[in-house]
Structure formats: structure tokens, C-alpha cells
């Protein structure tokens, strides 16, 4: 499993829900950055993340 780098955080309690995070991730995708949205239950936030290859893992 690769590491994840958080690009941005959006509060889950926002009136627009996950939309701001989805829009941010879509902008990154248009730039060629493979961003995705995940929910962090511990912090009650939507995170826009990019998976990084684990340097210790050999494929």
C-alpha cells in the first residue's frame, strides 16, 4: 500500500458537503495530479489526497 499526501482539508459540516473537496480534486485532476477525496472520520473532514509510492516497497 502506498503513502497518502494530504493536499487540502474541507470540513464535513459544510453546507455543501463534499462538493468543495470534489471540486478541488477535479481541478487537480485537470492539472494531471491524481487526486482523490477521502473521508477522515477522526477529524470529521474530507481530505483531498494523492497516493505516493512507498519507497520501501519493491514492485
Amino acid at each position: 500500500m502506498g503513502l497518502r499526501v494530504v493536499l487540502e482539508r474541507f470540513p464535513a459540516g459544510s453546507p455543501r458537503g463534499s462538493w468543495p473537496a470534489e471540486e478541488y480534486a477535479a481541478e487537480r485532476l485537470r492539472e494531471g495530479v491524481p487526486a482523490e477525496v477521502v473521508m477522515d472520520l477522526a477529524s470529521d473532514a474530507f481530505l483531498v489526497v494523492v497516493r505516493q509510492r512507498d519507497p520501501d516497497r519493491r514492485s
Side-chain angles (χ1 to χ4, degrees):
M1 173 185 255
L3 304 170
R4 290 182 180 175
V5 174
V6 177
L7 299 179
E8 192 65 62
R9 298 174 171 272
F10 297 86
S14 166
R16 295 183 61 217
S18 67
W19 287 9
E22 298 290 348
E23 290 169 349
Y24 184 86
E27 289 173 14
R28 302 297 72 80
L29 285 171
R30 283 191 290 276
E31 296 170 351
V33 177
E36 63 182 302
V37 177
V38 296
M39 177 67 183
D40 179 25
L41 295 175
S43 67
D44 195 30
F46 294 104
L47 308 178
V48 178
V49 300
V50 176
R51 292 178 194 258
Q52 299 287 315
R53 193 170 150 254
D54 187 345
D56 295 333
R57 184 176 178 190
R58 296 179 187 199
S59 343

